[in-house]
Amino acid sequence: MPSPLSADRPAPQPGGQLAVDTLIQNARRLRGDLDAIRQDAARTDEDDALLRWQRALCDLAERHLDDLGTRLGQLRDGITSDGVTAPAPAPRAQAPARPEPGAASGLAGSAEWNLLTDDVSWSPELYAVFGRDPAAGPLSLDELPSVLIPEDQPVLTAMVTGCLIDGKPLDGEFRVRRPDGRMSTLHMTGEPVLDADGCTASMWAVLRDVSALRDGQRQVAESRDSLTRRDHIARTERRMAVELHETVLPPWRGSLRLPGRGPGVLDVAAHYLPPRSGDLAGGDWYDALALPDGGTLLSVGDLAGRGIPATSGMAMMLGALRGMAVAGIEPAALMGHLNHLLGSTMPPALGSALCCRYDPATGVLSWAQAGHPAPLLFRAGEGHPLTPPDGVLLGAATGVRYEQENVTLLPGDLLVLHTDGLTRGSDRGASERLLALAPRLAEADSARECVRTVVAACGGTGRPDDACVLVARVGA
């Protein structure tokens, strides 16, 4: 039997990044050319061994081109069969090692077993596929199962029986143990050759080493499963972070009704703005709390990080802040205690915070900050940031002393507290964008309406970070 050519030749690398769509079109064009060659081979003499070999090679090439088209389609569209969105580009993994010189992966060889004469004919390539010394001669059909792993021997037996007795074509895979101890996966195709009386005279087959192909498919499947698991874990973490965040924030939503009426009493409203869809929640918080001495706690803050670590740390911080405020600790001292608490966590974390204590009897607002944007005070249709007292980020240094400022609020004054995520990414200054809302805030009837105005101006979609805004309006 004429010796076939090796079925695999490495394609030349393109001189640059070739579009995937172009590769798909090239694969389709090759598939069309292959169909034409196959039609020519189908019109030839069925008894010609070389032409049977050519037809078998067409079958093998067809399978590979179809598989190539599928993989390129996945590359273009992303992995969607399991509902997994294609991930953001990751660092390129190290490519698998190339087969050692002389390895049979990708080679194909032919064989014919004559049932009348017991002659066996193997092409030279088939010896390489099996890793067998040509001097040892070919394997007969009785000897062939001996090189298969035990669990695959029934597969070969069923294929050969179906071909010889029922005249079925051969098409299946099995694993063989090579003399050097390596295991290879072979794909076998073929058919019976009939004599003039229609009886099976011989069986010919093409065997191809598809180990590399199956390894690649297995790696693709494992990668897809890994992406599915990672996507599930990410969705679970996002859900848990959101649930924890909602649990930790104050039980009131929108606006807070504080005891008392008349001048000096605060009308408070707040809003949390989540990050864009798919991003993990951060550690932003807001809080307002009526204190036992008749005062009111106002606070916003932002703990560094995302996901469950940030929201759990936020829960710790907010709980400590509430407890110390109820105990009557002033804002500056409270910040010092929070700094010690955050610096002693494992691992240490960073955060910013703004803490205000308002006395409705005197109208005095006492406040301190730790690396946080200052409150914005709006009065008579104009706004400006309050002059911040000294204060570094929480957790940045130990033994830090935080300063405190006092300012007297007048009836009708409006105070806006926010985290830096509210104005991050703006083409204007962090405070300038909010201060520009002064005329509209002056016309608002309530703190809740003011919050809606701020969110409408600064709370657009596509936000890379979460944010909080709290508005306190002094009753007239």
Side-chain angles (χ1 to χ4, degrees):
M1 179 180 296
S3 173
L5 296 176
S6 174
D8 278 357
R9 289 185 182 275
Q13 296 295 325
Q17 183 64 38
L18 192 60
V20 175
D21 285 338
T22 302
L23 289 174
I24 293 175
Q25 293 173 3
N26 290 341
R28 290 173 179 169
R29 185 169 58 251
L30 288 172
R31 186 68 163 78
D33 294 343
L34 182 62
D35 287 341
I37 296 174
R38 180 171 182 156
Q39 290 174 3
D40 291 341
R43 292 192 292 266
T44 57
D45 185 0
E46 291 290 333
D47 293 331
D48 191 317
L50 176 58
L51 295 176
R52 290 202 305 268
W53 165 257
Q54 291 175 346
R55 188 169 67 250
L57 283 182
C58 287
D59 291 340
L60 290 172
E62 179 182 282
R63 289 191 181 92
H64 280 275
L65 285 175
D66 289 343
D67 185 72
L68 175 62
T70 300
R71 302 307 168 200
L72 290 175
Q74 290 178 338
L75 180 62
R76 179 190 61 190
D77 301 332
I79 301 175
T80 57
S81 60
D82 290 318
V84 181
T85 304
R92 184 183 299 273
Q94 184 177 358
R98 293 185 177 273
E100 298 177 2
S105 181
L107 284 179
S110 62
E112 185 165 358
W113 290 271
N114 192 306
L115 304 181
L116 302 179
T117 64
D118 289 334
D119 289 339
V120 182
S121 175
W122 276 21
S123 68
E125 288 77 10
L126 193 57
Y127 287 97
V129 168
F130 279 88
R132 185 174 175 83
D133 186 355
L139 293 171
S140 67
L141 287 178
D142 293 332
E143 297 170 328
L144 188 58
S146 65
V147 298
L148 274 66
I149 63 173
E151 52 264 40
D152 285 2
Q153 291 175 1
V155 175
L156 176 63
T157 300
M159 288 171 54
V160 172
T161 301
C163 180
L164 298 182
I165 296 178
D166 300 326
K168 295 180 179 179
L170 297 166
D171 192 352
E173 292 186 6
F174 48 80
R175 291 163 293 176
V176 300
R177 184 71 65 182
R178 294 164 55 89
D180 59 7
R182 290 185 297 166
M183 188 171 65
S184 299
T185 301
L186 305 185
H187 188 99
M188 184 179 190
T189 58
E191 59 187 28
V193 179
L194 306 181
D195 59 16
D197 297 328
C199 299
T200 302
S202 63
M203 184 184 76
W204 70 270
V206 174
L207 293 98
R208 177 183 176 86
D209 190 312
V210 293
S211 303
L213 176 62
R214 297 298 172 252
D215 287 345
Q217 292 172 339
R218 183 167 53 253
Q219 291 172 8
V220 168
E222 290 173 353
S223 298
R224 183 174 60 242
D225 293 342
S226 176
L227 287 174
T228 302
R229 289 192 299 271
R230 188 174 68 179
D231 183 71
H232 175 72
I233 292 172
R235 288 198 305 269
T236 301
E237 183 177 358
R238 283 195 295 269
R239 186 184 70 252
M240 293 178 63
V242 169
E243 291 174 353
L244 178 59
H245 200 281
E246 292 177 349
T247 302
V248 171
L249 286 179
W252 56 273
R253 294 292 188 269
S255 60
L256 172 65
R257 183 182 298 276
L258 293 169
R261 286 180 172 273
V265 177
L266 293 181
D267 174 21
V268 180
H271 186 75
Y272 169 74
L273 292 89
R276 59 193 171 196
S277 177
D279 286 349
L280 293 172
D284 289 42
W285 83 79
Y286 65 83
D287 196 14
L289 181 66
L291 301 175
D293 61 0
T296 302
L297 166 70
L298 304 174
S299 178
V300 293
D302 181 7
L303 191 64
R306 290 180 180 271
I308 295 175
T311 51
S312 59
M314 180 195 78
M316 175 191 68
M317 294 285 292
L318 196 49
L321 187 149
R322 289 170 177 168
M324 288 186 285
V326 169
I329 298 178
E330 290 294 315
L334 191 151
M335 285 296 175
H337 293 312
L338 288 181
N339 179 63
H340 175 76
L341 176 64
L342 200 58
S344 61
T345 59
M346 293 299 293
L350 292 174
S352 67
L354 175 63
C355 181
C356 306
R357 187 182 187 90
Y358 174 70
D359 184 356
T362 62
V364 174
L365 181 79
S366 302
W367 68 287
Q369 62 84 30
H372 199 87
L376 303 180
L377 176 61
F378 294 84
R379 178 179 294 170
E382 296 182 353
H384 67 276
L386 298 180
T387 302
D390 291 339
V392 299
L393 283 171
L394 299 175
T398 59
V400 177
R401 179 180 178 85
Y402 290 86
E403 301 295 332
Q404 182 171 305
E405 288 288 337
N406 296 322
V407 61
T408 300
L409 301 183
L410 304 179
D413 282 355
L414 188 73
L415 202 64
V416 176
L417 284 62
H418 67 91
T419 58
D420 59 359
L422 187 68
T423 53
R424 185 175 295 162
S426 171
D427 56 355
R428 306 173 67 178
S431 299
E432 183 180 349
R433 189 175 183 183
L434 292 172
L435 293 175
L437 300 175
R440 296 170 59 186
L441 297 178
E443 297 174 356
D445 294 329
S446 65
R448 191 164 190 171
E449 186 176 343
C450 291
V451 168
R452 292 195 188 102
T453 300
V454 172
V455 171
C458 305
T461 59
R463 169 181 310 283
D465 196 5
D466 54 353
C468 289
V469 56
L470 184 148
V471 173
R473 188 171 189 173
V474 183

